[in-house]
């Protein structure tokens, strides 16, 4: 894999996996696929986008979608307090989208184990959406249960930890314009 050539300061050894050009090209074709499946008139579509990892993908995708649309934002948080018992993830409607009776497209950065999307898809269905489909920029095939799927997928990738284009490590690297791989040694405390 080529080393990251972006002049932006990168403290960890991030290796480019999907370039800025590849992302831009794929988003245009993904938007065309999505646009062909939704009404362009009436209420168009309602997007429910999962913060914060999807922000860059969302921004580029919606600017390639020609139809009428509304955007709602949600966060999914895990409780991280003093308790040692893990708490189930919780969904917060950050910007309330009225999804009842609407054709909803959930937008997320990555389908990994599927825990996040399972929660969001169920919440949107429970809120009375007419239809619920999902797009993700990235998918790690075979990791999520068969019941959690995405209808429109940008790229299938190996089971590696990725950063950039909205995805972070410890809050960093969301602004990288490409998808990069952060090798395990870089996440365990410093470059080698
Ligand atoms: P799952 O599908 O496991 O994904 O519920 C939950 C969220 O975890 C984040 N995630 C990642 N973030 N590199 C990242 O920077 C990764 O390889 C990665 N895998 C999962 C992401 O925010 C996703 O929505």
């Amino acid at each position: 894999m080529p080393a990251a050539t972006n002049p932006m300061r990168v403290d960890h050894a991030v290796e480019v996996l999907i370039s800025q050009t590849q992302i831009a090209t794929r988003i245009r074709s993904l938007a065309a696929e999505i646009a062909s499946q939704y009404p362009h008139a009436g209420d168009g579509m309602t997007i429910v986008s999962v913060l914060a990892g999807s922000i860059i993908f969302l921004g580029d995708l919606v600017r390639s979608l020609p139809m009428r649309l509304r955007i709602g934002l949600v966060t999914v948080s895990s409780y991280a307090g003093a308790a040692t018992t893990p708490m189930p993830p919780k969904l917060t409607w950050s910007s309330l989208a009225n999804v009842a009776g609407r054709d909803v497209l959930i937008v997320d950065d990555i389908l990994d184990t599927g825990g996040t999307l399972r929660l969001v898809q169920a919440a949107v269905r429970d809120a009375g959406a007419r239809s619920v489909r999902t797009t993700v920029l990235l998918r790690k095939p075979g990791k999520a249960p068969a019941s959690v799927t995405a209808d429109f997928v940008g790229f299938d990738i190996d089971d590696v930890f990725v950063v950039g284009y909205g995805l972070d490590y410890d809050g960093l690297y969301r602004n990288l314009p490409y998808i990069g791989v952060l090798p395990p040694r870089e996440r365990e405390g410093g470059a080698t």
Side-chain angles (χ1 to χ4, degrees):
M1 264 179 266
T5 52
N6 193 277
M8 194 179 301
R9 181 175 163 76
V10 177
D11 294 318
H12 297 80
V14 178
E15 297 161 349
V16 178
L17 181 66
I18 306 170
S19 73
Q20 190 171 359
T21 306
Q22 287 174 300
I23 294 171
T25 303
R26 182 64 187 116
I27 286 187
R28 277 195 297 276
S29 59
L30 197 60
E33 279 174 46
I34 292 169
S36 71
Q37 304 281 318
Y38 282 84
H40 286 222
D43 279 329
M45 69 158 69
T46 298
I47 284 178
V48 170
S49 190
V50 187
L51 294 174
S54 69
I55 52 173
I56 312 288
F57 177 41
L58 173 71
D60 283 346
L61 181 70
V62 293
R63 286 178 293 168
S64 291
L65 290 174
M67 76 281 286
R68 291 160 64 91
L69 59 81
R70 296 179 173 83
I71 300 173
L73 304 171
V74 297
T75 54
V76 175
S77 55
S78 308
Y79 177 76
T84 49
T85 315
M87 301 291 281
K90 194 171 157 247
L91 183 135
T92 313
W93 296 86
S94 301
S95 157
L96 192 61
N98 180 8
V99 299
R102 299 269 164 80
D103 293 306
V104 172
L105 178 69
I106 296 169
V107 175
D108 203 2
D109 52 0
I110 186 167
L111 174 53
D112 193 334
T113 65
T116 301
L117 279 179
R118 181 175 44 216
L119 192 68
V120 177
Q121 289 171 343
V124 171
R125 270 189 220 105
D126 290 350
R130 180 165 58 193
S131 67
V132 184
R133 278 176 281 195
T134 300
T135 184
V136 292
L137 180 68
L138 306 173
R139 175 174 64 186
K140 295 181 181 176
K143 289 199 70 188
S147 57
V148 184
T149 59
D151 304 274
F152 310 98
V153 176
F155 301 92
D156 279 327
I157 62 168
D158 291 339
D159 188 13
V160 289
F161 191 84
V162 287
V163 295
Y165 200 74
L167 291 138
D168 76 306
Y169 169 64
D170 196 21
L172 295 171
Y173 306 130
R174 291 194 199 277
N175 57 327
L176 294 178
Y178 51 85
I179 299 289
V181 175
L182 196 61
R185 66 176 186 279
E186 296 293 331
R187 283 178 276 134
E188 288 158 5
T192 54

